[in-house]
Amino acid sequence: MCDVLNVEEIFASKVFTVAKMRERLPKNVYKEVKKVMEQGGELSLAAADVVAKAMKDWAVENGATHYTHWFQPLTGITAEKHDAFVTHPDSDGKMIMEFSGKELIKGEPDASSFPSGGLRATFEARGYTAWDITSPAFLKEDATGVILCIPTAFCSYKGEALDKKTPLLRSMEAVSQQALRIVRLFGNTEAKKVVASVGPEQEYFLVDREKYLKREDLIFAGRTLFGAPAPKGQELEDHYFGTIRERIGAYMKDLNIELWKLGVTAKTQHNEVAPAQHELAPIYETANIAVDHNQLVMETMKKVAGRHGLTCLLHEKPFAGVNGSGKHNNWSLGTDNGVNLLDPGDTPNENVQFLLVLACIIKAVDIHADLLRQSASDVGNDHRLGANEAPPAIISIFLGEQLEDVVKQLIETGMADHSIHGGKLLTGVSTLPDLEKDATDRNRTSPFAFTGNKFEFRMVGSADSIGSPNTTLNAIVAEAFCEAADVLEKAEDFDVAVHDLIKKYLTEHQRIIFNGNGYSDEWVEEAARRGLPNIKSMVEASTTLTTEKSIKLFEKFGIFTKAELESREEILYENYSKTINIEALTMIDMAKKQILPAVIKYTKFLADTVVTVKSAGADASVQSEELAAVSAKLAEAKKALAALEEKTAKAGEIASEKEKAFFFKDEVFAAMAALRTPVDELEMIVDKTVWPIPTYGDLIFEV
Ligand code: ADP
Ligand code: MG
């Protein structure tokens, strides 16, 4: 018999939830905490002391020995420094575990080794972590023991953001304030805030750990830098939604349990398009919690994989020739009294508030397409966006038939008097129900698609934090709301003014709407005609952070200062160069120490064979041909290796981070590709038993 899993019982068992606070805190303190959570402001130190004690007691009851301020520096992952609850023993030598309000609210990790992009000189080591009271504390359990993790924001001594969390929280406040102005115009006097909600669908690969450990490229770069395609790829589409194999199923089950305990609403799981690729989607939550939870999802995916003899690859493109991984960032806005601003209702043509919100988003995305593109860029995502694979690097919006039709009516006649309806889907089988159809089909090729009551930003990289995309989304939409509210609050006749404004926005920004095939070459040309930016790489995208337009936007809403933006741009260049440098060095290492020596041995074997066969008086022409072919590719590989070494060394000499990053992109990256080609060709002609590393077939079909 299998054990019955009580999901309701284990859910959030490792989280210091609001319910636990209600239970464990004196009423007045609980009320104070709730107030700060809902309305912002600061917790008094007296209250913080009480909360800290309750939190510590709960944590210790659950086996915790340490606490940590858990934060998200600009490395893109999370950071933690553990402190035991241990205190100085009294005169009897007895020690009491303690945790104060001050320790809860503020931490001071040495910040000097985190990326700051010049915001801080190395001698200014101070950085502060501040408790994000809106994201619950949780327990992390691993070989270290049980650690109480307190989600925090991370800032420099001067208050500059050094993390992904601080700007996100700032952007959430900005969009809330501006969205409130919009809903007030439509008579909603009750809402106190508007909350950005996010549901990220996370894609990932699983490979066998033993095989993973035999590939330096997977270990150091998280992706294969060499590898000929297996005879079979994803062409049969037999993996997508396919039956989940036992080993993977056991992994998914374990992963879900761990996530549920952490309060993550892991909901959907399935096999993805590429062999060995899978997806997990949680239910959406408030943006900052979703960002925290997505970090936990990624971390837990890796941790649980180890227990199953697997390794989880979150890289955007672990394998050439099959699909890479992304993260679909579903995003919406809702008032705290339950109105989803992106819900069109049955008759969107009559829903003026929705149409205004939609028009504002269309305008925001058109004006700041470059920033949105930037927010989804990371080194690995360069292999997807605008490269061999979808989604394209061009931002466009998919509205679907129904909304596109409403928008068309509004632009053409200034009036929208009807909405297309989905109608019934007739199954043609008497025993099957006929289904209500959605008014719109899906479009898998759009980077920014309206999906019923939310937008799905499909460009985000699988390994990346979703902090930046959501910060940018909130910021650009806050700006559009602000500009609309500025006009409408002053309008004499609101109905006329709002109508005119919607028409104006839609007319001026309709070029960003595209319902066709975003993967096609025609779209690339069409987009160019429309003047839409097509930013092909992460380093090019990074330059958009410090344009006048960007600085104006982010400074206006207090999300980033100019200095913060400059520092972030600098960090992106550094990060790009370092990553490509590691990849290049890994390729050099593998080529020099593993692949070329194996091929050289193989040529000796062939040469010996030729001699032996000939001396036996037989025809050795096939063996000679093989030898010639392998030797020719070997020479090519050797030459390409030398070129890569030279380029990589040269890159290291460039002083400017920006120039260096561009050099890595244009020169080193190209040299890497030039080395990969002959090596992959060699893999196709060399005896498999002498090939020194597991092949694509081994890696993605035999998990
Ligand atoms: P699909 O993309 O296949 O339509 P779902 O409808 O299940 O899948 O939604 C995908 C993700 O979008 C889920 O994480 C879901 O919770 C999230 N989502 C649904 N509604 C919202 C919303 N209002 N705001 C943000 N995310 C949402
Ligand atoms: Mg989806």
Side-chain angles (χ1 to χ4, degrees):
M1 254 215 22
C2 76
D3 292 334
V4 176
L5 186 66
N6 190 333
V7 180
E8 287 180 13
E9 208 163 276
I10 63 167
F11 188 79
S13 56
K14 291 186 174 180
V15 185
F16 196 59
T17 54
V18 171
K20 289 192 184 93
M21 286 202 243
R22 194 187 310 118
E23 203 180 287
R24 288 170 176 261
L25 294 175
K27 226 185 199 131
N28 60 330
V29 176
Y30 172 72
K31 269 196 177 152
E32 192 178 328
V33 171
K34 276 291 275 183
K35 189 164 167 238
V36 176
M37 282 171 94
E38 279 158 19
Q39 296 167 30
E42 262 178 61
L43 207 59
S44 67
L45 199 55
D49 275 330
V50 179
V51 178
K53 180 165 185 315
M55 207 186 260
K56 185 261 308 173
D57 288 346
W58 167 77
V60 171
E61 281 163 31
N62 285 281
T65 51
H66 292 70
Y67 72 93
T68 184
H69 276 201
W70 186 74
F71 59 105
Q72 301 173 26
L74 295 169
T75 52
I77 52 172
T78 60
E80 51 195 77
K81 179 188 99 182
H82 304 164
D83 277 300
F85 294 118
V86 172
T87 54
H88 203 61
D90 65 13
S91 52
D92 291 345
K94 187 172 160 40
M95 190 279 295
I96 296 169
M97 304 270 267
E98 263 178 18
F99 183 46
S100 70
K102 223 172 117 200
E103 287 169 309
L104 166 64
I105 290 176
K106 192 182 102 179
E108 202 205 312
D110 181 335
S112 54
S113 292
F114 290 109
S116 84
L119 268 185
R120 209 193 39 226
T122 7
F123 61 88
E124 296 169 334
R126 263 184 219 276
Y128 293 98
T129 48
W131 182 28
D132 172 11
I133 196 169
T134 56
S135 182
F138 58 92
L139 299 175
K140 226 159 83 164
E141 191 173 354
D142 52 35
T144 335
V146 181
I147 314 287
L148 170 67
C149 297
I150 298 151
T152 55
F154 180 44
C155 297
S156 77
Y157 188 71
K158 295 192 187 107
E160 289 135 338
L162 294 175
D163 67 349
K164 304 248 175 189
K165 184 75 168 279
T166 311
L168 174 72
L169 292 172
R170 293 172 181 165
S171 76
M172 287 169 67
E173 286 192 7
V175 79
S176 176
Q177 276 168 17
Q178 301 308 324
L180 270 183
R181 293 175 66 193
I182 299 291
V183 299
R184 292 274 186 270
L185 287 166
F186 289 90
N188 183 337
T189 51
E190 270 151 39
K192 291 196 191 66
K193 62 178 171 182
V194 172
V195 180
S197 56
V198 171
E201 303 165 52
Q202 175 74 48
E203 293 179 337
Y204 62 100
F205 279 83
L206 288 174
V207 295
D208 184 86
R209 185 152 181 84
E210 292 290 315
K211 290 175 193 155
Y212 161 88
L213 289 172
K214 292 195 179 117
R215 297 227 19 162
E216 268 181 42
D217 48 3
L218 288 180
I219 295 173
F220 297 132
R223 73 175 180 105
T224 54
L225 298 165
F226 297 108
K232 178 180 169 184
Q234 62 191 43
E235 62 276 47
L236 292 180
E237 297 175 332
D238 51 354
H239 192 254
Y240 189 56
F241 284 13
T243 311
I244 295 165
R245 267 171 293 182
E246 289 268 306
R247 186 178 187 192
I248 306 302
Y251 166 82
M252 287 180 170
K253 178 179 171 191
D254 206 1
L255 175 63
N256 285 331
I257 293 173
E258 288 297 325
L259 291 175
W260 290 331
K261 285 184 190 165
L262 289 167
V264 179
T265 48
K267 168 113 177 142
T268 310
Q269 62 196 23
H270 60 82
N271 286 349
E272 255 300 329
V273 173
Q277 191 186 30
H278 313 279
E279 180 181 302
L280 179 145
I283 297 175
Y284 68 95
E285 307 171 276
T286 305
N288 62 322
I289 301 176
V291 170
D292 286 359
H293 279 173
N294 183 248
Q295 289 286 358
L296 282 181
V297 165
M298 293 194 284
E299 237 176 273
T300 312
M301 280 180 165
K302 289 188 188 162
K303 189 163 89 181
V304 172
R307 292 185 204 153
H308 293 261
L310 297 164
T311 294
C312 173
L313 303 175
L314 292 172
H315 195 282
E316 286 76 11
K317 194 75 179 175
F319 304 100
V322 294
N323 272 17
S325 300
K327 199 138 47 188
H328 294 175
N329 187 87
N330 295 274
W331 172 93
S332 187
L333 292 171
T335 66
D336 57 350
N337 63 346
V339 181
N340 180 345
L341 301 192
L342 283 168
D343 187 353
D346 286 338
T347 47
N349 60 306
E350 291 167 0
N351 187 343
V352 181
Q353 177 178 301
F354 168 77
L355 290 174
L356 176 63
V357 168
L358 182 72
C360 285
I361 294 176
I362 289 170
K363 173 183 163 187
V365 173
D366 184 32
I367 291 182
H368 296 296
D370 56 344
L371 284 178
L372 214 47
R373 161 70 177 89
Q374 187 286 320
S375 77
S377 62
D378 70 6
V379 188
N381 227 5
D382 272 9
H383 297 277
R384 297 175 66 235
L385 308 181
N388 318 322
E389 187 180 327
I394 306 159
I395 296 268
S396 64
I397 298 180
F398 170 79
L399 288 181
E401 252 173 275
Q402 187 187 48
L403 288 187
E404 198 192 13
D405 173 66
V406 171
V407 166
K408 204 165 139 229
Q409 293 178 55
L410 285 167
I411 292 173
E412 277 170 10
T413 66
M415 288 286 293
D417 55 14
H418 64 273
S419 294
I420 297 176
H421 284 277
K424 285 244 187 260
L425 180 144
L426 306 177
T427 54
V429 178
S430 63
T431 52
L432 288 180
D434 292 331
L435 306 172
E436 283 294 335
K437 273 205 297 193
D438 290 305
T440 278
D441 197 4
R442 289 164 179 267
N443 181 325
R444 284 173 46 103
T445 65
S446 175
F448 200 76
F450 185 75
T451 46
N453 61 3
K454 63 186 192 288
F455 273 101
E456 186 171 346
F457 185 26
R458 308 171 74 239
M459 262 189 182
V460 183
S462 50
D464 208 4
S465 158
I466 52 169
S468 301
N470 289 301
T471 302
T472 303
L473 267 171
N474 294 339
I476 66 177
V477 172
E479 182 187 61
F481 283 165
C482 176
E483 286 166 4
D486 285 347
V487 175
L488 296 176
E489 282 166 358
K490 287 194 288 249
E492 272 169 27
D493 185 334
F494 176 72
D495 289 341
V496 172
V498 73
H499 175 268
D500 289 351
L501 200 65
I502 292 171
K503 183 173 179 203
K504 177 172 159 17
Y505 285 178
L506 293 177
T507 310
E508 285 173 0
H509 301 286
Q510 55 181 309
R511 65 171 186 169
I512 197 77
I513 300 170
F514 178 62
N515 287 327
N517 179 5
Y519 294 179
S520 68
D521 293 337
E522 295 81 69
W523 169 233
V524 176
E525 287 163 28
E526 167 66 17
R529 265 195 300 280
R530 294 188 190 185
L532 298 177
N534 182 359
I535 304 172
K536 298 220 171 63
S537 69
M538 166 180 166
V539 285
E540 285 157 289
S542 304
T543 63
T544 65
L545 279 179
T546 47
T547 59
E548 216 174 290
K549 171 172 81 74
S550 165
I551 295 168
K552 188 170 149 250
L553 163 74
F554 287 119
E555 286 205 325
K556 177 168 181 184
F557 296 100
I559 296 167
F560 288 118
T561 61
K562 182 165 181 253
E564 285 172 331
L565 287 166
E566 283 166 350
S567 80
R568 266 156 218 256
E569 184 181 339
E570 190 81 355
I571 289 169
L572 291 172
Y573 295 138
E574 272 175 42
N575 185 261
Y576 183 84
S577 299
K578 285 178 184 167
T579 306
I580 302 296
N581 190 47
I582 291 170
E583 292 191 348
L585 295 181
T586 305
M587 281 188 101
I588 292 167
D589 203 61
M590 287 173 79
K592 266 192 177 165
K593 297 191 196 147
Q594 290 185 295
I595 296 167
L596 297 197
V599 177
I600 289 169
K601 264 193 220 153
Y602 185 57
T603 54
K604 175 172 185 313
F605 164 78
L606 286 173
D608 290 348
T609 309
V610 170
V611 173
T612 317
V613 171
K614 269 192 187 156
S615 67
D619 172 18
S621 58
V622 172
Q623 292 84 339
S624 298
E625 273 168 32
E626 285 294 300
L627 177 60
V630 173
S631 299
K633 288 287 160 209
L634 181 63
E636 225 180 278
K638 182 77 215 275
K639 206 169 140 213
L641 172 63
L644 177 59
E645 283 187 282
E646 191 208 311
K647 293 282 185 202
T648 310
K650 208 162 156 202
E653 288 160 15
I654 303 171
S656 141
E657 288 296 346
K658 184 173 179 178
E659 251 175 65
K660 191 195 274 192
F662 273 90
F663 187 86
F664 267 108
K665 171 176 87 70
D666 296 328
E667 304 286 334
V668 179
F669 197 70
M672 286 164 59
L675 172 59
R676 179 172 183 151
T677 307
V679 169
D680 288 359
E681 284 164 358
L682 280 167
E683 189 190 324
M684 306 284 277
I685 53 175
V686 167
D687 182 350
K688 178 158 183 348
T689 57
V690 303
W691 198 252
I693 52 176
T695 64
Y696 271 26
D698 302 331
L699 286 167
I700 55 179
F701 284 98
E702 295 175 27
V703 194

